[in-house]
Amino acid sequence: MKLELGYINVKGVKFATENKFENGIVYVDELALKELLLKDSSLEDCNFDVAYPGESVRITPVKDVIEPRLKVEGPGGIFPGVISKLETVGSGKTHVLRGMAIVTAGKIVGFQEGIIDMSGPGADYTPFSQLINLVVVCKPAPMVEAHDYEEAVRLAGLKAANFVAEIAKDAVPDEVMAYETKGLIDSINEYPNLPRVAYVQMLQSQGLLHDTYVYGVDAKKIVPTILYPTEIFDGAIISGNCVSACDKNTTYHHQNNPVVTDLYAQHGKTINFVGVIITNENVYLADKVRSSDWTAKLAEFLQVDGVIISQEGFGNPDTDLILNCKKIEQKGIKTVIITDEYAGQDGKSQSLADADVLANAVVTGGNANQVITLPSMDKVIGTLKYVDKIAGSHAGSLADDGTIIAEIQVITGATNELGFNKLSAR
Amino acid sequence: MKYILITNNDSLLNSSYKNINVVYKNCSYIEVLLRVRAYIHKGHTILTHPLSSSLKPNETPFKSILISGSSKGATDAFSVDIIEQAIEAYKKFPQSNKSLNQKIIDDFKLVDKTVIESAILNNL
């Protein structure tokens, strides 16, 4: 399966009375977008705003971040089984509006979390401070139940992304990157002397605000399976996860999964990247045993020499991570795990809620308990109402002047477990 | 009953789950973990992860954990590991001094309920 990603550089996003893309500026017909989103009866209203890198702007509470992409050649459409019709994606050509994102914001529940600061010290902890963000702030219709409203906001973000991507449909890409994964036998024949590597991606799957969807299927209900890596670039995996801002994978993270792009960068040079195994992180312990058994079985079936395993979330998934690692290692396959840490504010506590001697190669996204002071911003998109209710904050976290003292787990993407962040150790 | 649900979430009292004895007590998050540990020491097996949901132990006051309804006699080592790791994880989070209004309390209860139901409704 081969996919070409054509990157179109976005230099600005402006509201206008008609949609057009000109000189790198996306002009968005605000009323048409609003009309599209408000077709969902679960939404009473939605408002839009734009935040640029370097501005004194705080966006909170953040639900999801999505990159506008458009299928311009080949089967299917972006977010198959959710927004586009159900058809296998990952081949042909896809255009990417690089440098911008759709951010959905607004309360789902009373402890809704996630902060993106566009400048200041907090901006260094989130990759989304570097993007031009078209923010969609939704308001629920009266008496809408939490599940329905979560779904409505999730879909609003995806619809807005596809709406915006369509605006630049005739644009010529500034850069084109091609990615290809062949069938297993062809792949082995092509690079017989390179170590075969697969990527095991663990998907958050625990319930309301903790879900992920694969081709529209709730990941709680899948058994581990194999994807071509390029399917992920076309939105085969989307986020329904609103909890644990620092280490949840937004839809943008999935679309730009750095484990996949880095493995492709080494494909044919130092490794033979044969594919992605997706698995879940269910609450029921028997599900964990089954999913880790199957994940190890698929890794063995692919006859890989090594796997990279990425986690999503805190606590419960630590057990899945270690089970996957241990069982794959016991098949004689080397593993590297990517996680983040809750090591206490002083960094001295046990980092994970599970461990095993076979988990001996670990990459960390950082310590989520690290305390940070986020100075006040001139403008808030969304509301600060929930800031001292969210994980990593405390009573008094929010000062009268808008300054926030809290753990970095309040920041969207701060300790992302795909490695999509900027923290490093010295 | 085939299963016991240990919980401090009273919203679960209104539901009737097949084969599950709901054992509710108005108590703290850590007390739920300790009560589950006591059952495990008596030979019960833990069936759902005690750190279910990504809500941190000092963030949500509510916790529900499913265990086997009867004792196997011997203590299950895997269950002991899981609950001890959860208790250790709990200890590293500073205790919260947040005041929660009724709406937020209800939302925490709702998430706890839907997360435990993701195990109950899909598996039992």
Side-chain angles (χ1 to χ4, degrees):
Chain A
M1 184 175 279
K2 186 177 178 183
L3 179 69
E4 270 186 26
L5 289 182
Y7 291 96
I8 296 156
N9 295 334
V10 174
K11 297 171 192 151
V13 175
K14 292 193 165 125
F15 296 117
T17 51
E18 62 173 339
N19 291 325
K20 63 176 176 179
F21 182 76
E22 209 171 74
N23 299 323
I25 311 289
V26 184
Y27 294 89
V28 180
D29 181 343
E30 191 178 4
L31 290 176
L33 178 56
K34 191 165 185 161
E35 191 183 352
L36 171 72
L37 302 188
L38 292 184
K39 280 182 183 165
D40 191 327
S41 59
S42 296
L43 301 181
E44 181 177 277
D45 198 9
C46 62
N47 291 297
F48 309 111
D49 213 327
V50 178
Y52 281 81
E55 286 184 338
S56 181
V57 172
R58 174 163 295 150
I59 309 169
T60 189
V62 173
K63 180 184 185 327
D64 199 9
V65 185
I66 306 131
E67 184 167 61
R69 294 187 170 203
L70 181 70
K71 198 88 205 144
V72 290
E73 197 177 300
I78 304 300
F79 310 128
V82 184
I83 297 294
S84 302
K85 67 173 180 166
L86 192 50
E87 189 170 7
T88 301
V89 291
S91 63
K93 292 181 181 175
T94 296
H95 281 181
V96 180
L97 268 59
R98 181 164 63 185
M100 75 163 292
I102 306 297
V103 175
T104 46
K107 167 190 173 291
I108 308 279
V109 287
F111 45 88
Q112 191 63 42
E113 47 192 30
I115 294 172
I116 297 172
D117 278 357
M118 299 305 290
S119 62
D124 292 339
Y125 286 84
T126 176
F128 306 121
S129 63
Q130 308 303 307
L131 302 176
I132 302 165
N133 292 315
L134 171 53
V135 188
V136 181
V137 183
C138 295
K139 186 179 171 195
M143 306 305 289
V144 168
E145 193 260 342
H147 281 89
D148 293 333
Y149 182 52
E150 186 281 325
E151 183 181 15
V153 180
R154 174 168 20 105
L155 296 181
L158 303 175
K159 287 176 197 166
N162 282 10
F163 178 94
V164 169
E166 190 76 31
I167 295 171
K169 66 179 189 300
D170 297 324
V172 178
D174 296 285
E175 185 187 6
V176 175
M177 298 280 286
Y179 299 94
E180 184 174 22
T181 297
K182 294 182 175 168
L184 188 61
I185 293 170
D186 287 348
S187 181
I188 292 170
N189 287 339
E190 189 171 13
Y191 302 111
N193 299 318
L194 291 177
R196 283 187 293 283
V197 176
Y199 168 38
V200 173
Q201 185 177 12
M202 295 167 47
L203 306 174
Q204 182 64 258
S205 58
Q206 299 190 68
L208 176 64
L209 310 181
H210 294 75
D211 285 319
T212 307
Y213 298 85
V214 182
Y215 283 94
V217 177
D218 183 342
K220 279 196 291 293
K221 297 172 183 171
I222 67 165
V223 288
T225 190
I226 293 172
L227 293 185
Y228 282 104
T230 50
E231 293 178 73
I232 297 173
F233 292 152
D234 274 348
I237 302 174
I238 64 150
S239 171
N241 183 9
C242 314
V243 181
S244 207
C246 64
D247 57 13
K248 75 175 182 189
N249 295 331
T250 66
T251 299
Y252 189 100
H253 285 110
H254 289 298
Q255 294 170 301
N256 291 278
N257 190 317
V259 180
V260 173
T261 51
D262 286 3
L263 286 171
Y264 265 130
Q266 290 302 314
H267 178 62
K269 297 175 187 164
T270 59
I271 57 165
N272 183 3
F273 176 32
V274 297
V276 179
I277 301 168
I278 54 166
T279 183
N280 50 20
E281 304 177 343
N282 289 11
V283 168
Y284 197 57
L285 292 171
D287 288 345
K288 295 184 184 304
V289 173
R290 183 189 306 110
S291 287
S292 54
D293 279 352
W294 282 47
T295 298
K297 181 179 69 179
L298 289 174
E300 180 185 44
F301 180 73
L302 293 173
Q303 295 186 307
V304 289
D305 301 294
V307 301
I308 312 287
I309 309 171
S310 69
Q311 180 188 0
E312 181 176 3
F314 150 87
N316 165 65
D318 293 355
T319 298
D320 301 278
L321 178 70
I322 296 301
L323 283 172
N324 285 324
C325 170
K326 191 163 76 175
K327 290 179 183 177
I328 293 170
E329 285 272 348
Q330 285 168 345
K331 300 278 189 191
I333 299 164
K334 296 288 183 199
T335 63
V336 175
I337 63 176
I338 313 174
T339 181
D340 67 345
E341 302 177 62
Y342 288 81
Q345 293 188 352
D346 60 4
K348 291 179 179 172
S349 300
Q350 173 75 26
S351 298
L352 296 177
D354 207 335
D356 192 272
V357 68
L358 291 172
N360 55 13
V362 181
V363 177
T364 175
N367 179 14
N369 297 126
Q370 182 188 327
V371 176
I372 188 169
T373 300
L374 304 173
S376 65
M377 295 278 148
D378 293 344
K379 177 178 169 184
V380 173
I381 303 176
T383 174
L384 290 174
K385 204 170 161 186
Y386 310 105
V387 159
D388 61 359
K389 304 287 185 261
I390 62 182
S393 69
H394 53 83
S397 267
L398 177 63
D400 290 342
D401 71 348
T403 300
I404 296 168
I405 300 173
E407 296 176 357
I408 60 171
Q409 57 173 311
V410 301
I411 301 173
T412 300
T415 61
N416 178 262
E417 294 165 287
L418 303 174
F420 199 118
N421 52 16
K422 300 191 292 179
L423 286 175
S424 63
R426 281 186 289 185
Chain B
M1 285 286 189
K2 212 169 165 187
Y3 309 101
I4 299 172
L5 182 58
I6 309 290
T7 184
N8 63 354
N9 180 355
D10 60 5
S11 73
L12 289 162
L13 288 171
N14 305 325
S15 309
S16 129
Y17 304 110
K18 203 177 160 192
N19 296 327
I20 297 177
N21 178 22
V22 179
V23 179
Y24 165 78
K25 187 182 174 190
N26 181 8
C27 64
S28 64
Y29 185 108
I30 184 66
E31 197 177 332
V32 173
L33 300 184
L34 296 174
R35 293 174 73 217
V36 167
R37 184 172 69 177
Y39 274 98
I40 290 170
H41 288 172
K42 287 180 198 161
H44 292 254
T45 308
I46 192 165
L47 299 176
T48 58
H49 200 285
L51 297 176
S52 55
S53 97
S54 291
L55 299 174
K56 309 304 179 297
N58 63 346
E59 184 185 10
T60 177
F62 301 105
K63 178 51 62 186
S64 303
I65 302 170
L66 193 71
I67 61 173
S68 63
S70 57
S71 165
K72 287 197 307 181
T75 303
D76 179 61
F78 181 66
S79 297
V80 172
D81 279 350
I82 293 265
I83 195 68
E84 288 293 350
Q85 285 158 355
I87 292 167
E88 275 307 303
Y90 172 88
K91 287 179 185 166
K92 71 187 175 189
F93 287 90
Q95 283 321 291
S96 173
N97 55 353
K98 295 173 195 174
S99 60
L100 303 175
N101 64 35
Q102 193 55 45
K103 176 73 182 76
I104 291 173
I105 288 170
D106 289 345
D107 283 344
F108 277 130
K109 285 179 182 176
L110 175 67
V111 170
D112 176 68
K113 185 178 181 193
T114 61
V115 166
I116 198 69
E117 283 186 343
S118 80
I120 293 172
L121 303 179
N122 286 327
N123 293 286
L124 309 184

